[in-house]
Amino acid sequence: MSKLLGGLPEEFSIPIVLVQHRSKDSDRLLVQLLQDATGLKVCEIEDKDVLRAGTVHVAPADYHVLVESGYLSLTLEEPVRFSRPSIDVMFTSAADAYGPATIGVILTGANEDGASGLADIAKRGGCALIQDPKTAEIKMMPEAALKATPTAEVFALDDLAPRLIELSGQPVEVRRRKAV
């Protein structure tokens, strides 16, 4: 994740909502580690946070994240696929709120969470991106996502940030400035 975020310009025009499975007892170290890797603002989500461009909104441990039009909500609903936060819950809510404007990205992982949510994004006309399972540290999650969404675009980790920049529609000079 650090490598992907580090490849995005500080002026990135799309809000990012990041869900990573972690212990309910984990602290905010993830936010600091990610902040050290990127010029984007990184913050842990609080209920009703406004979605902001150039910001990485990190799901807090033990809460599902719901994407709504313009903001994020937290919920303590039951775990999905033994996970809370659940990638599926976040992806499906994002697809419901933003339809074809939604971009979902699945990276390395050790279960199938995110696969059905990514399929929901694709069914609503959004863009589904998957890290190539051959380049993933743990390939179970990207393989499950590819099985659920065979039309998804597949990229090596190094190639995901340039694709996101392209999808953002940002001017070429912003892309070049970061690439230098």
Side-chain angles (χ1 to χ4, degrees):
M1 179 52 63
S2 295
K3 190 169 201 171
L4 173 60
L5 294 176
L8 297 174
E10 290 178 25
E11 305 88 357
F12 193 61
S13 62
I14 300 173
I16 298 169
V17 180
L18 186 148
V19 174
Q20 182 168 327
H21 300 150
R22 53 191 173 136
S23 165
K24 65 181 176 179
D25 300 322
S26 68
D27 59 17
R28 294 178 184 243
L29 180 61
L30 176 61
V31 170
Q32 187 55 52
L33 290 171
L34 294 173
Q35 188 63 76
D36 290 346
T38 184
L40 300 166
K41 179 182 179 192
V42 180
C43 63
E44 191 166 271
I45 298 167
E46 294 185 19
D47 195 38
K48 306 301 183 211
D49 271 355
V50 173
L51 277 168
R52 297 187 193 286
T55 301
V56 180
H57 304 271
V58 178
D62 207 32
Y63 286 90
H64 290 306
V65 176
L66 300 175
V67 178
E68 306 196 39
S69 184
Y71 66 97
L72 302 164
S73 296
L74 299 176
T75 176
L76 287 170
E77 300 291 323
E78 290 299 312
V80 175
R81 297 185 187 269
F82 308 101
S83 299
R84 188 174 63 208
S86 165
I87 301 164
D88 281 329
V89 168
M90 189 274 291
F91 275 174
T92 298
S93 68
D96 289 344
Y98 289 98
T102 309
I103 302 168
V105 179
I106 292 285
L107 301 177
T108 186
N111 71 21
E112 296 181 359
D113 186 28
S116 70
L118 191 67
D120 287 340
I121 289 171
K123 284 176 197 165
R124 288 172 179 85
C127 184
L129 306 177
I130 301 173
Q131 179 182 3
D132 187 338
K134 294 179 205 141
T135 67
E137 197 171 315
I138 303 171
K139 59 185 176 177
M140 181 184 273
M141 195 174 288
E143 285 178 339
L146 195 52
K147 184 177 179 184
T149 312
T151 59
E153 298 178 44
V154 179
F155 293 92
L157 183 59
D158 290 343
D159 297 326
L160 279 165
R163 179 62 175 134
L164 288 170
I165 294 166
E166 180 182 340
L167 288 168
S168 77
Q170 289 188 261
V172 174
E173 58 273 4
V174 171
R175 289 183 240 166
R176 285 192 184 132
R177 187 167 59 235
K178 184 60 181 177
V180 173

